[in-house]
Amino acid sequence: MREDVEALDIRDVTANWVNAIVLQAQIDDRIKALADLAHTPLFFGRLNYLHAPGAELAEGAEGEQFYIGRRHVHDADGDPMVIDWRAPVSQPFYRASKKDPQDIALRRRFGYTGGELTAYEDEHLSDPSEAAAVSKLLQQEIERPRVGPMRDIVATIQPEQDEIVRSGLSGSVCVQGGPGTGKTAVGLHRVAYLLYAHRERLARTGTLVIGPNRSFLHYIEQVLPALGELEVKQATVEDLVTQGGLEIRGADAAATAVVKGDARMAQVLRRAVRSHVTPPTEPLMVVRGSRRWRVPAYELEEIVAELQARDIRYGAARDALPQRIAHTVLVRMEQAGEAPDDRVQDSVARTPAVKAAVKAMWPAVDPAKLVLRLLSDPEFLAEHARGVLSEEEQELLLWAKPPRSVKSAKWSAADLVLIDEASDLVERTHSLGHVVLDEAQDLSPMQYRAVGRRCTTGSATVLGDLAQGTTPWATRSWDEALSHLGKAEAVLEELTAGFRVPREVIAYASRLLPAISPGLAAVSSVRETPGSLVVAPAVDGAGLTASVIEACRASLGHEGSIGLIAADARIAELAGALEAAGMAYLSPGEETTAASRLTLVPASLAKGLEYDYVVLDEPAAIVSGEPDERTGLRRLYVCLTRAVSGLTLLHADPLPEALAA
């Protein structure tokens, strides 16, 4: 198939050089999408239908056989050899069961080792004499050692996951899922499905995956290309709001960041932007040739009031104002017997007198300068925050030493979100067709608004776990979050079946749930792995570091990736100990290989990552490294649930009370 595309000759089918460049770019993208991936087989399953799909279920009618794979594959005659996993005919591979066979006689799963077919397993779904059984190949695929970036789960998608993946483009979906329930993979596969089902529409409007940090995005970046989807962009929230050459060079105290991230700041900014509009006090005189046309102040005031009442973007209203004034002048011209046309109106709108009047009544607003003034000028802030923010909250917002200019200001991440909000009040933000927001529980209301602006005319897939919220402004409920996102109508789905974390490990971590997220259902893992949890005390701090290094050495005796997770404050000491022991290690986001499998992970960057074996250093230090105990326990919950096969927890200080119980 790839060679056929490479052999295409477009010299005689393009009208000009522009068409040739566009067509060649499309051909190049197609060639990339058809690339062979090492160790990735083209098919992983087979369905034998009792009857041909769509045909009458007549007695004696012959069925059909389909191989299911990551993408469509056809032979030289164009006949399908492998059916794309997203096609309707493939759906029973994920949904059919003994209770609901969906006209499937046989479902076959294929097992691979390094790209080589090594096993297969059959289920005769329509045979009442065969008992239902848990697929061993399915479990082996889930437990396969993790080396390198995150991989797709097309061979292991579960029925409840498939329902979310195949939900329509028109509606937004919010997925609450505990550790190991596959919510990230579900979100990425939903993008792949939507691109398959609505390719032309999303090609025009665009798709975007938003993750919590660069390490996370690097970890997941190969999933969609492995499924043949190359056009999906990835970004963090900080990437979205960084504009105009501004950079994040500062950091806010937790209390200040909470106020800056509060949805009430949108009202303060709106007031501040609108405050620039000044009603006219003088009439306007427009000179055109030998005639002078006068527009009284009260008419100008009516035009301004009408634009304000329409509640359109500040910049759009400012662009419309000179045309409205010019139209008023044209009416007077017509009343005087002249016959002006649209060109005359445009000419009047560009006259110095009209430009000067517009500048006085509706001046241009620079979003960054506006936020700079709000955070620097106590009187300006008080005027627009009156009745919205308390005096104490206003005090938290003000810079102790105001910067001289926008360029010299040490903007924080929360500041850039405020500037993004102000920018949208001035000029509408471009909307995409679909946005996936992962680890959403850590966003502030203002960050939700920033993401929501990117999909006002599109839909969203929101992924997260309320128990893993590790910011002081973490989401309290999905209803509230979706309201800030502008997707209050989104359907809330909950994934409670765990596939990644062993049952012993998730049960231990779930001891924290009553303290960090009361009422949230614990994950029920389908994998029981005896010996997967080891909790061991060390004699003292020095003994702890030595014990941790020894545990890492022992873990490297297993197959797969190893994650050493520790409080951020402990990373430097552990890095030195690893170097002294001659043990090479990676940083989060760096790709593991067969020769380099140990990653040293600060607790603040552990979210969303997974390792076959995890060594967890000093839980008490992880908890105390956060602004408050609940946030610290949530951070610890995240760190406890990164393991696929085994967790070794080492501590010198007493364990948190909830774990020690």
Side-chain angles (χ1 to χ4, degrees):
M1 288 171 65
R2 188 173 61 252
E3 289 169 356
D4 287 346
V5 178
E6 290 172 337
L8 289 174
D9 186 350
I10 62 172
R11 287 175 296 180
D12 296 330
V13 296
T14 53
N16 51 51
W17 65 272
V18 176
N19 288 351
I21 291 175
V22 172
L23 187 55
Q24 187 59 53
Q26 293 174 341
I27 290 174
D28 292 342
D29 287 344
R30 178 64 175 159
I31 292 170
K32 288 179 186 176
L34 289 172
D36 287 319
L37 300 175
H39 310 308
T40 303
L42 286 177
F43 62 92
F44 50 81
R46 195 182 91 190
L47 289 176
N48 285 28
Y49 275 81
L50 290 172
H51 308 86
E56 293 290 331
L57 302 183
E59 196 70 35
E62 291 189 12
E64 285 191 68
Q65 173 180 292
F66 300 96
Y67 284 88
I68 312 299
R70 284 166 174 78
R71 63 191 70 183
H72 172 84
V73 181
H74 60 248
D75 61 17
D77 297 322
D79 294 325
M81 300 176 67
V82 178
I83 305 297
D84 194 300
W85 66 276
R86 297 165 287 189
V89 76
S90 303
Q91 184 170 311
F93 186 79
Y94 304 106
R95 302 272 189 97
S97 65
K98 293 292 289 186
K99 291 183 179 179
D100 179 21
Q102 300 188 18
D103 201 42
I104 300 299
L106 178 142
R107 173 168 57 199
R108 173 169 289 178
R109 299 182 191 275
F110 295 97
Y112 292 86
T113 302
E116 182 180 346
L117 178 62
T118 55
Y120 69 88
E121 181 182 76
D122 288 347
E123 296 173 85
H124 298 86
L125 298 178
S126 298
D127 184 354
S129 64
E130 182 179 289
V134 176
S135 168
K136 292 182 180 179
L137 283 183
L138 191 65
Q139 186 153 344
Q140 288 172 6
E141 174 63 20
I142 293 170
E143 294 175 350
R144 184 156 56 95
R146 283 150 168 76
V147 176
M150 181 180 178
R151 57 179 182 253
D152 66 72
I153 62 163
V154 289
T156 62
I157 293 173
Q158 299 300 293
E160 64 272 20
Q161 295 173 328
D162 191 63
E163 287 184 21
I164 298 170
V165 167
R166 295 176 191 265
S167 55
L169 177 61
S170 58
S172 294
V173 178
C174 177
V175 182
Q176 158 64 39
T181 54
K183 56 185 178 297
T184 296
V186 165
L188 294 174
H189 288 69
R190 175 161 157 73
V191 171
Y193 172 77
L194 292 175
L195 286 167
Y196 173 87
H198 308 277
R199 189 167 302 281
E200 288 189 9
R201 178 176 169 184
L202 290 177
R204 294 193 307 270
T205 55
T207 51
L208 175 67
V209 174
I210 302 173
N213 52 57
R214 281 277 141 209
S215 297
F216 178 83
L217 292 177
H218 183 70
Y219 177 61
I220 68 170
E221 67 184 359
Q222 294 303 317
V223 173
L224 289 168
L227 301 175
E229 302 299 346
L230 307 172
E231 300 302 317
V232 180
K233 293 181 172 58
Q234 297 182 345
T236 64
V237 174
E238 285 74 18
D239 294 333
L240 296 184
V241 300
T242 301
Q243 55 184 302
L246 301 180
E247 297 178 357
I248 298 173
R249 298 194 297 136
D252 292 313
T256 300
V258 168
V259 178
K260 288 182 178 179
D262 195 294
R264 292 174 296 163
M265 287 301 299
Q267 186 178 352
V268 175
L269 288 165
R270 180 182 175 82
R271 287 181 179 179
V273 169
R274 294 289 172 176
S275 71
H276 289 75
V277 178
T278 305
T281 56
E282 300 289 335
L284 170 65
M285 195 68 69
V286 177
V287 178
R288 185 165 176 81
S290 60
R291 302 291 299 270
R292 291 158 61 95
W293 306 97
R294 182 176 181 275
V295 182
Y298 77 87
E299 284 197 36
L300 294 173
E301 189 172 352
E302 288 174 356
I303 294 173
V304 169
E306 191 267 336
L307 285 172
Q308 285 181 306
R310 288 186 59 192
D311 199 28
I312 58 177
R313 294 297 194 280
Y314 184 91
R318 187 175 188 273
D319 292 339
L321 182 56
Q323 291 291 334
R324 297 296 178 88
I325 295 172
H327 178 73
T328 302
V329 173
L330 256 67
V331 171
R332 280 169 167 66
M333 290 180 177
E334 290 170 348
Q335 290 171 343
E338 296 189 17
D341 56 20
D342 290 343
R343 289 173 298 176
V344 174
Q345 179 170 321
D346 291 339
S347 177
V348 171
R350 292 194 299 269
T351 58
V354 172
K355 286 183 176 180
V358 169
K359 185 177 181 180
M361 292 184 290
W362 211 293
V365 171
D366 182 294
K369 289 181 179 178
L370 176 77
V371 173
L372 179 69
R373 187 179 175 190
L374 273 174
L375 302 180
S376 305
D377 186 339
E379 292 183 3
F380 187 68
L381 176 61
E383 178 185 352
H384 302 299
R386 186 175 294 113
V388 180
L389 302 178
S390 68
E391 291 183 6
E392 291 77 13
E393 289 172 323
Q394 293 177 39
E395 192 68 31
L396 286 171
L397 290 177
L398 291 167
W399 274 318
K401 186 179 179 182
R404 292 183 178 180
S405 67
V406 167
K407 294 296 183 184
S408 65
K410 292 186 177 180
W411 299 107
S412 69
D415 293 334
L416 294 190
V417 175
L418 296 180
I419 294 172
D420 189 71
E421 178 83 26
S423 298
D424 185 68
L425 290 168
V426 176
E427 299 289 346
R428 183 182 297 277
T429 304
H430 173 69
S431 175
L432 299 165
H434 192 77
V435 170
V436 174
L437 175 61
D438 204 355
E439 301 295 349
Q441 72 280 345
D442 276 337
L443 268 61
S444 70
M446 290 298 286
Q447 287 175 317
Y448 276 116
R449 291 175 62 87
V451 174
R453 285 192 283 278
R454 272 73 187 179
C455 55
T456 50
T457 59
S459 55
T461 300
V462 181
L463 313 165
D465 179 12
L466 295 179
Q468 295 187 60
T470 52
T471 55
W473 50 83
T475 302
R476 289 173 291 188
S477 76
W478 289 122
D479 286 344
E480 181 181 328
L482 293 169
S483 176
H484 294 311
L485 190 71
K487 303 295 180 186
E489 78 292 346
V491 176
L492 179 61
E493 303 281 0
E494 188 169 7
L495 296 174
T496 57
F499 305 97
R500 171 170 55 82
V501 186
R503 187 176 303 169
E504 296 80 2
V505 175
I506 196 66
Y508 183 72
S510 296
R511 295 181 185 181
L512 297 174
L513 285 179
I516 62 178
S517 196
L520 197 65
V523 172
S524 176
S525 178
V526 301
R527 297 175 52 229
E528 189 169 356
T529 312
S532 57
L533 175 65
V534 176
V535 179
V539 178
D540 53 39
L544 172 64
T545 299
S547 298
V548 167
I549 299 304
E550 189 55 40
C552 289
R553 197 184 303 277
S555 296
L556 286 168
H558 298 292
E559 191 178 2
S561 59
I562 314 299
L564 169 54
I565 304 178
D568 291 32
R570 289 267 297 156
I571 292 297
E573 179 180 338
L574 291 172
L578 287 171
E579 290 169 2
M583 299 173 66
Y585 63 89
L586 304 168
S587 297
E590 294 183 323
E591 189 170 320
T592 56
T593 64
S596 187
R597 299 183 288 121
L598 174 62
T599 303
L600 179 57
V601 186
S604 61
L605 296 180
K607 190 170 296 180
L609 305 179
E610 57 184 36
Y611 302 93
D612 288 291
Y613 292 87
V614 168
V615 177
L616 185 62
D617 170 88
E618 197 59 275
I622 293 173
V623 176
S624 62
E626 299 298 328
D628 58 81
E629 185 182 27
R630 190 176 82 152
T631 303
L633 290 174
R634 285 183 166 186
R635 182 76 71 189
L636 177 58
Y637 180 74
V638 170
C639 297
L640 285 168
T641 54
R642 301 302 96 201
V644 177
S645 297
L647 169 66
T648 301
L649 186 155
L650 299 166
H651 66 99
D653 294 334
L655 291 170
E657 188 176 337
L659 285 183

